[in-house]
Amino acid sequence: MVQLSAALLSLTGEAALLAKGGKILFANDAACSLLGPTCREKSLAALLGREIAGMQAPSFVGEAEAGGQRVLLRIKSLDGGTRVIFITPRTTVEALVGDSFLYALRTELMQLGTGVS
């Protein structure tokens, strides 16, 4: 399972980690670029903080300081306690939110949600 997950995560250009028991099992090239070349040797708590490393929720979205910058984290637990962590620099998120197309889409979706309620 871990080898298959690592192989799949190596295909994405988004920074991604695979962790289990607080240890990094795999970091793709994008994660190493963002977090530094030694990120594979560090604990999850050392990279993202104890609060994030200690979360017990099966999946969640959060923010942390990593690689000297604020990042958005999307974390999903898999079978056996393995976690997949996608990391997006906050500046990238802000640029996407500022995009006029995405703003218009978000506005339409908000109106749709309000109409359904």
Side-chain angles (χ1 to χ4, degrees):
M1 173 75 159
V2 171
Q3 289 177 335
L4 177 61
S5 298
L8 290 172
L9 291 177
S10 68
L11 298 174
T12 183
E14 186 175 9
L17 301 173
L18 204 56
K20 184 174 183 176
K23 295 182 180 183
I24 305 299
L25 301 176
F26 173 79
N28 68 3
D29 291 339
C32 290
S33 293
L34 180 68
L35 303 172
T38 62
C39 70
R40 293 179 176 125
E41 302 162 10
K42 296 181 179 177
S43 69
L44 190 57
L47 282 177
L48 304 177
R50 290 182 186 197
E51 184 177 332
I52 295 294
M55 291 289 265
Q56 298 297 317
S59 64
F60 63 95
V61 175
E63 279 192 45
E65 182 80 21
Q69 60 184 315
R70 294 295 296 171
V71 295
L72 179 69
L73 305 168
R74 295 183 332 275
I75 301 174
K76 174 72 177 164
S77 295
L78 305 175
D79 293 335
T82 303
R83 288 183 168 180
V84 177
I85 304 162
F86 290 99
I87 306 166
T88 306
R90 193 73 176 123
T91 53
T92 302
V93 173
E94 290 167 358
L96 289 173
V97 170
D99 183 87
S100 60
F101 170 75
L102 290 177
Y103 177 78
L105 179 61
R106 182 181 62 190
T107 302
E108 292 300 318
L109 290 173
M110 294 283 288
Q111 289 175 358
L112 179 63
T114 304
V116 172
S117 298

